Amino acid sequence: MNDTVFEVEQESTIVNVHINHEVNTSREYGIIVLQDFIQSSFQVDGVSYNNLYTFESDPLTENIIPLEIDIFDDSKELIILIIREPHVKEKEFDLEKAVNYELIYGKRHLLKSDLELPSEFVEPDGYVSDEQNEIDIFLSSEKEDLQAIASMTENTTLYLHVGNQGLGISVPYAIVGFMDWKQIEIEGENSVLYIESPVDSSDRAIYEFLIPNVEHDTNLQFVAFPFPYENLNERVLFPVQGTFRVVIEGKQ
C-alpha cells in the first residue's frame, strides 16, 4: 500500500482504523463508511458525519481513528474507505498526481454468509476489443479509447471502461460514484451499479454517464468492488479499485 498501511479491528460497532503515515510531510486523509455499498453515517469522538471525516496527519505518525458505526440488521458487507487529500482538485492532467489520487485504500468485512448477488446485472452500453487491454476500471472521455482526463464541463458524457486482466472468468463488480465524496445515483435512481466484466481479457465493457450540473468545481471519482458479498480469500490483488479523480468545472 505504498506509504500508507492500515488495519481494522472490529468490536461491536466500534471500528478502529489504523493509518501509519510513513512519509516526512503532513497529509490530509478522508474516511468514508459504506454498508452494502451505500454511504453510511458514523461518529468520531461523539461527532456525527454523514459523508466524509477528514483529519490532518503529522509526518511519520501512527493514527488510530475510532469509528462508531450503527450497523443495520440487514447489512451484509461493511466497507471502510481511506482517501488521500480528498479536497485537492487537479484540473491539469499530471500522471504522477493522477495515480496518487486514484489510490483508494479499503477494508471490506463480510457481516453475513451465504449471500447472493442481484439476479440481473446491468448490461453495458457497448463493448470494445483491445489486445493491449491492461485495465480493470478506467474513466475515459472516449467511448472506444482509454483517454484520461483531469477536468470536464457539465452535461458531458464520460465512459466507464471495465476490463478483465486475465482471470479467465467474468468478474462481478459493485460500482459506486462520489461527487465531492457524497455518493451519487449512477443507474437510474440506484446508487450502486452491479455489473459483470467480460470473460475475455481483450474485451472491455462500456458504461456511459452524463456529467451533472454543478455550481462549483467538484471532484468526481468512481470506485469498484470486485466480488461483492464474497469472501475474497486473495482472489484479487486489490479489494477496492478507483478511477482517476476528475474535476467537474462549475458555473462559478
Side-chain angles (χ1 to χ4, degrees):
M1 294 185 180
N2 295 332
D3 55 10
T4 303
V5 179
F6 69 92
E7 298 177 354
V8 176
E9 301 170 358
Q10 186 175 353
E11 180 180 358
S12 184
T13 58
I14 301 296
V15 178
N16 289 320
V17 177
H18 296 245
I19 300 178
N20 293 331
H21 180 63
E22 298 176 349
V23 294
N24 198 27
T25 57
S26 298
R27 175 182 291 162
E28 183 185 38
Y29 288 94
I31 297 176
I32 288 175
V33 174
L34 303 173
Q35 296 189 55
D36 292 352
F37 310 104
I38 301 295
Q39 197 163 24
S40 174
S41 62
F42 59 98
Q43 293 188 8
V44 178
D45 296 330
V47 180
S48 295
Y49 297 89
N50 291 325
N51 301 318
L52 178 75
Y53 167 76
T54 61
F55 72 96
E56 188 82 11
S57 175
D58 293 328
L60 304 173
T61 56
E62 179 182 3
N63 305 272
I64 301 177
I65 312 298
L67 309 182
E68 184 176 350
I69 305 169
D70 292 328
I71 297 178
F72 306 133
D73 291 339
D74 58 350
S75 289
K76 301 181 287 292
E77 185 165 339
L78 174 69
I79 305 103
I80 312 294
L81 299 180
I82 311 294
I83 301 153
R84 290 178 174 183
E85 300 177 297
H87 293 117
V88 171
K89 295 178 172 67
E90 292 286 347
K91 289 188 177 183
E92 300 297 328
F93 187 78
D94 179 291
L95 181 59
E96 182 177 351
K97 291 181 179 179
V99 171
N100 180 62
Y101 299 133
E102 173 190 33
L103 295 174
I104 292 182
Y105 306 126
K107 184 68 175 179
R108 296 168 56 183
H109 295 279
L110 278 182
L111 303 176
K112 292 181 174 65
S113 58
D114 300 326
L115 303 175
E116 294 183 1
L117 284 167
S119 58
E120 295 184 2
F121 294 94
V122 175
E123 291 295 322
D125 296 301
Y127 290 94
V128 173
S129 183
D130 182 356
E131 295 297 333
Q132 303 301 316
N133 185 36
E134 296 181 353
I135 62 99
D136 289 319
I137 178 172
F138 191 95
L139 191 61
S140 175
S141 60
E142 301 293 334
K143 186 170 184 177
E144 296 189 359
D145 299 323
L146 299 177
Q147 182 62 53
I149 66 282
S151 62
M152 298 288 288
T153 58
E154 58 193 16
N155 292 321
T156 301
T157 300
L158 288 179
Y159 302 91
L160 187 67
H161 293 237
V162 179
N164 179 351
Q165 292 196 55
L167 290 180
I169 60 172
S170 180
V171 177
Y173 281 97
I175 296 179
V176 301
F178 296 100
M179 289 177 57
D180 274 355
W181 311 114
K182 182 177 180 180
Q183 191 170 6
I184 59 174
E185 295 176 350
I186 58 175
E187 170 57 29
E189 297 181 353
N190 299 318
S191 300
V192 185
L193 179 69
Y194 290 101
I195 66 169
E196 286 186 305
S197 76
V199 175
D200 194 321
S201 61
S202 65
D203 291 336
R204 296 196 303 270
I206 313 298
Y207 298 85
E208 298 182 9
F209 297 96
L210 182 65
I211 299 302
N213 296 330
V214 294
E215 291 296 324
H216 305 279
D217 289 354
T218 303
N219 276 327
L220 170 69
Q221 191 160 9
F222 289 91
V223 183
F225 304 89
F227 300 104
Y229 310 121
E230 292 189 37
N231 189 340
L232 297 179
N233 285 329
E234 300 182 353
R235 295 177 71 178
V236 292
L237 182 60
F238 300 106
V240 177
Q241 301 169 23
T243 63
F244 287 155
R245 191 182 299 180
V246 175
V247 177
I248 305 174
E249 299 182 10
K251 299 177 181 179
Q252 300 181 12

